[in-house]
Amino acid sequence: MRRSQVEQVQELFSLAGKVAVVTGATGVLGSEMARSLARSGASVGVLGRREERANRVAGEIEVAGGEALALPADVLDTDQLEGARDALIERWGSVDILVNAAGGNVPGATLSDGVSVFQLPEKALRQVMDLNFLGTLLPSQVFGAAMVEGAEEPEGCIVNISSMAASKTLTNVVGYSAAKAAVDNFTRWLAVELARSYGPSLRVNAIAPGFFIGEQNRNLLLDEDGSPSQRGQTIIEHTPAGRFGEPEELGGTLIWLCSPASAFVTGIVVPVDGGFSAFSGV
């Protein structure tokens, strides 16, 4: 029987039969991305440092009818990453999708009252670079190798999570901006390298979220009563959509980048920012 147009579109965006792993999957954005992949049919490895949180997110996915596996691991520990990869393969046999959502800012790598750019502590700058850049590179090595090994024509998808801070100058945000800029560059570099070395079906892209309320930035963007802070209001005024993003609004772009619908898309950074990156402020 001939498939209907609706069925063809559903198949184009389906992740049924795919095995995904999301790093940083216990955070606000990472956990929602894990849920989005599961709703689209993927079996999802929930990777995070805190075992209790990883179990909770995996349990929520399973209660909703999806398949999930908690993978407690630190993205800066190669041995732990390899253990998580082995557990994932033992459970489902392959790795098809990697979402590098682990990352975040470090307060000491940000300018504050009384601290100039010349006084930023080296330790904090190294910490934020490690967390965001190495925290993307190391999982890409460990899980990317699993996509390649033993395959005549490797297929797979890596999606890195960047930030508006990588391409737009955000006052005070020094280390995090540089780290996410490195993620953008690494995304393009790895896309070229994998396609040239292993074939065009191994793709690498990134999503650059605009401003979403998470654990780390809540106090910066919101006052105690839940209304936007002064900095939060400035951000909203420079966002044509006129609001902060909702975590589930990242799901559509993520599914597109991981599905057959984007088979000819690699090496790009997609802003999901309500127009923030397009607006000059004038």
Side-chain angles (χ1 to χ4, degrees):
M1 180 179 295
R2 185 176 180 180
R3 294 175 301 158
S4 69
Q5 290 183 338
V6 171
E7 289 173 328
Q8 291 179 47
V9 171
Q10 289 175 336
E11 184 176 312
L12 192 62
F13 288 91
S14 174
L15 300 179
K18 300 297 184 181
V19 177
V21 58
V22 180
T23 72
T26 57
V28 172
L29 300 186
S31 62
E32 184 55 41
M33 286 187 272
R35 295 186 190 96
S36 294
L37 294 172
R39 284 193 291 266
S40 295
S43 301
V44 182
V46 178
L47 193 151
R49 287 182 298 172
R50 301 178 185 178
E51 184 173 1
E52 181 180 351
R53 289 193 179 187
N55 285 328
R56 176 176 56 80
V57 174
E60 291 170 353
I61 290 173
E62 291 183 328
V63 167
E67 289 193 50
L69 175 65
L71 299 170
D74 186 336
V75 292
L76 297 179
D77 189 315
T78 301
D79 289 340
Q80 291 185 24
L81 288 171
E82 290 175 348
R85 177 199 61 197
D86 294 345
L88 194 74
I89 292 174
E90 182 179 357
R91 174 74 174 270
W92 289 308
S94 66
V95 180
D96 303 299
I97 297 166
L98 167 64
V99 180
N100 283 309
N105 202 356
V106 174
T110 302
L111 298 187
S112 59
D113 292 340
V115 178
S116 77
V117 66
F118 307 113
Q119 298 166 318
L120 287 170
E122 179 182 342
K123 181 178 179 181
L125 291 170
R126 289 185 181 276
Q127 184 180 356
V128 76
M129 287 298 297
D130 285 354
L131 176 59
N132 292 280
F133 176 56
L134 286 181
T136 296
L137 187 151
L138 295 179
S140 296
Q141 288 181 310
V142 171
F143 291 98
M147 297 177 186
V148 170
E149 291 172 358
E152 292 185 9
E153 297 181 4
E155 293 185 13
C157 173
I158 297 174
V159 178
N160 299 324
I161 303 304
S162 180
S163 168
M164 278 297 102
S167 58
K168 303 285 284 186
T169 301
L170 306 182
T171 57
N172 302 329
V173 184
V174 185
Y176 180 73
S177 298
K180 287 302 190 183
V183 170
D184 280 9
N185 182 275
F186 177 64
T187 297
R188 291 186 286 268
W189 183 89
L190 189 61
V192 173
E193 171 62 21
L194 294 186
R196 286 169 58 88
S197 296
Y198 300 101
S201 295
L202 203 56
R203 302 181 296 109
V204 187
N205 293 292
I207 294 173
F211 292 87
F212 294 73
I213 304 299
E215 296 174 1
Q216 292 188 342
N217 64 6
R218 182 176 299 276
N219 293 335
L220 180 66
L221 300 182
L222 299 177
D223 288 333
E224 291 184 1
D225 62 1
S227 62
S229 65
Q230 182 177 356
R231 188 173 178 88
Q233 186 58 43
T234 300
I235 289 167
I236 289 174
E237 290 171 357
H238 286 76
T239 302
R243 61 177 176 84
F244 299 123
E246 298 293 338
E248 58 270 20
E249 292 176 318
L250 294 171
T253 301
L254 177 63
I255 292 164
W256 169 62
L257 288 175
C258 295
S259 72
S262 64
F264 198 53
V265 177
T266 194
I268 66 168
V269 181
V270 184
V272 182
D273 65 350
F276 181 88
S277 59
F279 185 38
S280 69
V282 178

